[in-house]
Amino acid sequence: MNILFFGPNGSGKGTQGAILQKQYHIPHIESGVIFRENISKGTDLGKKAKGYIDRGELVPDDITIPMILNRLKQPDCARGWLLDGFPRNVNQARQLDQALKAADLNLDYVIEIVLERKMAKDRIMGRRLCVNDNNHPNNIFIEAIKPAIKDGKPVCRVCGGELKTRSDDQDETAIDKRHAIYYDTHNGTLAAVNYFKDKAKSEKGALRIIELDGRPGVKEVSDDLLKKLGIKK
Ligand code: AMP
């Protein structure tokens, strides 16, 4: 099962991605997470990427594209993958499409969480990251995934682990820049989404497109997702 997962920062994509990963037992590959891991380990890749990430800009394609295409060749991807945060522009979409063709791989689903920009921005500011597991979603503004409180301090609602904020989550200018890239239908991420929507229409093949309304709570969105995937009635 090969899935591309789209949604603006703040749409709950990480939360729904964790649900999908459990459902299909496939690796959840998040370009942003790979970059952050490299930054915290101080690798060359991390050093190259840090400035762009802190400014809310895209890391250049000549760094990002090979990084993701190599990741998809790792043995744990043999049974499929859930790709999240990539592609983010038309060039990345095209190159991914070509690489999949060359490897004789098909995309099964393109899933898009649709959420308007203002709501997405408010949600980002409340997001907290669990230091133990990136698939433990916490948000101080969303009731269903509010952190637990231990000794008067917010901790991860799943494992009780320490919570951190992402430096680029609290910076409004960086959020606005990231959203400008996402909502750009000419060359940004929505253009990449449209690339695959057009492909699904023109090829009439196995690729299915799923659109989800990102406005309701976590449970409603995941019920909608599982229904559209045919997993739940
Ligand atoms: P995310 O965790 O998906 O919000 O990504 C955090 C940051 O990593 C982004 O704001 C970009 O600077 C960088 N990044 C993640 N994915 C990509 C990508 N596909 N292309 C370029 N830069 C990316």
Side-chain angles (χ1 to χ4, degrees), residues 149-201:
I149 301 289
K150 194 177 156 202
D151 302 330
K153 244 184 64 187
V155 292
C156 175
R157 46 179 268 285
V158 181
C159 71
E162 190 191 336
L163 293 177
K164 290 226 157 97
T165 52
R166 273 169 51 175
S167 56
D168 55 347
D169 271 359
Q170 302 304 309
D171 176 344
E172 240 183 295
T173 315
I175 293 169
D176 287 342
K177 266 199 215 163
R178 271 149 64 196
H179 277 162
I181 295 165
Y182 186 86
Y183 290 97
D184 172 3
T185 51
H186 294 288
N187 188 40
T189 310
L190 285 185
V193 178
N194 289 336
Y195 176 94
F196 287 103
K197 284 184 177 171
D198 289 346
K199 183 181 160 76
K201 260 190 223 144

Side-chain angles (χ1 to χ4, degrees), residues 7-10 13 30-36 39 49-61 63-65 67-68 84-89 92 124 127 134 166 168-169 174 177-178 181 189:
N9 296 107
K13 187 163 51 83
E30 294 170 273
S31 45
V33 171
I34 302 178
F35 282 130
R36 282 190 290 281
I39 291 171
K50 186 171 186 326
Y52 298 101
I53 292 178
D54 285 345
R55 289 190 299 274
E57 293 166 11
L58 288 189
V59 177
D61 284 355
I63 300 173
T64 308
I65 295 174
M67 174 183 91
I68 292 297
D84 177 343
F86 183 97
R88 255 178 158 95
N89 61 31
Q92 293 182 3
I124 292 178
R127 180 157 66 185
N134 189 57
R166 273 169 51 175
D168 55 347
D169 271 359
K177 266 199 215 163
R178 271 149 64 196
I181 295 165
T189 310

Side-chain angles (χ1 to χ4, degrees), residues 65-84:
I65 295 174
M67 174 183 91
I68 292 297
L69 297 184
N70 285 334
R71 178 65 189 87
L72 296 182
K73 287 184 195 146
Q74 300 308 305
D76 64 328
C77 290
R79 285 184 49 248
W81 35 260
L82 170 64
L83 189 51
D84 177 343

